[in-house]
Amino acid sequence: MGKQIWIWSCAAALATAVVGCATAPSDTEVSRQAAAVLKTSFKANGQAGLDRLDQDDTQRLCTQYANKPLPKDVAEMIEKMNLASIKWPADGRWTGDWKNGERVAQEGRGKQFSDDPIGPVGANCYACHQLSPQEVSFGTIGPSLYGFAKLRGFNDDTRKYAYGKIWNADAYSACSNMPRFGHSQILSEQQVKDLVALLTDPDSPVNK
């Protein structure tokens, strides 16, 4: 989200400069010009499509309140809107294979211009979280997930929460730094289930 805000800000500044000394344009006009500059500056390549330049309602609100306190009513609206958008498993099963989930968590490729369109897409979970004790290289942007189900319980409430959080983090924390993996079609439903298994299976290294 931060990188996207920076890109929009730079484009907005450029669009404003084009106007010169004329009357300052409205915010709507600046946004329109910024979007036009961005769309002429980027080309679809690899797994990176131009659709990433189009903000949905959540992204627009989060951009609007970037670096400012997010009002409680706006945060609640964002969370409610995103919770309603979660595509829950049709078969009612929250989990898959935790071993596949570990591979998804480790995989950092996906959605970049240099990635093969038919190649793998991962979650790169270790870039932000600690998960298993065997992996000593992990980020700290997000909380440690080690012992996830041991702390929260090996039950369907925990599994459902994990599924929803991975599918759309903004449903639980408005303007989260965490990607909306399912909502944005970064991961498939099966990949999300496999990650849930990694977090909640008692045999997973996360819970050892």
Side-chain angles (χ1 to χ4, degrees), residues 10-27:
C10 291
L14 178 59
T16 303
V18 171
V19 177
C21 297
T23 303
S26 65
D27 290 344

Side-chain angles (χ1 to χ4, degrees), residues 7-189:
I7 292 173
W8 275 91
S9 299
C10 291
L14 178 59
T16 303
V18 171
V19 177
C21 297
T23 303
S26 65
D27 290 344
T28 301
E29 178 60 18
V30 169
S31 295
R32 186 192 68 78
Q33 291 184 31
V37 169
L38 283 171
K39 288 188 177 182
T40 57
S41 301
F42 286 84
K43 291 182 174 61
N45 192 15
Q47 292 185 18
L50 295 180
D51 57 319
R52 66 179 56 197
L53 300 179
D54 298 323
Q55 291 189 315
D56 63 16
D57 290 340
T58 294
Q59 291 167 324
R60 280 190 288 271
L61 282 168
C62 292
T63 298
Q64 178 183 341
Y65 287 98
N67 302 316
K68 294 186 292 186
L70 186 64
K72 183 179 179 181
D73 61 330
V74 175
E76 290 175 348
M77 178 177 65
I78 290 172
E79 290 170 4
K80 182 178 180 180
M81 178 169 55
N82 283 276
L83 185 62
S85 77
I86 294 176
K87 180 183 175 184
W88 301 105
D91 61 6
R93 295 177 61 88
W94 307 113
T95 64
D97 184 331
W98 71 258
K99 294 180 181 178
N100 289 335
E102 174 65 12
R103 284 190 281 272
V104 174
Q106 290 278 3
E107 178 61 71
R109 289 173 291 179
K111 298 301 182 181
Q112 300 182 79
F113 76 93
S114 56
D115 292 322
D116 187 335
I118 61 173
V121 175
N124 201 20
C125 301
Y126 284 97
C128 298
H129 302 281
Q130 178 188 24
L131 285 96
S132 69
Q134 289 82 4
E135 177 57 71
V136 297
S137 177
F138 54 84
T140 56
I141 295 174
S144 172
L145 300 177
Y146 182 55
F148 184 84
K150 285 178 70 175
L151 296 171
R152 294 166 175 79
F154 296 99
N155 54 59
D156 279 343
D157 286 342
T158 300
R159 297 181 190 102
K160 182 178 180 180
Y161 167 76
Y163 184 97
K165 181 76 173 182
I166 296 168
W167 190 275
N168 190 338
D170 280 331
Y172 301 87
S173 180
C175 301
S176 171
N177 287 323
M178 182 172 169
R180 298 181 290 175
F181 287 106
H183 180 86
S184 300
Q185 299 182 339
I186 299 170
L187 300 178
S188 68
E189 179 179 302

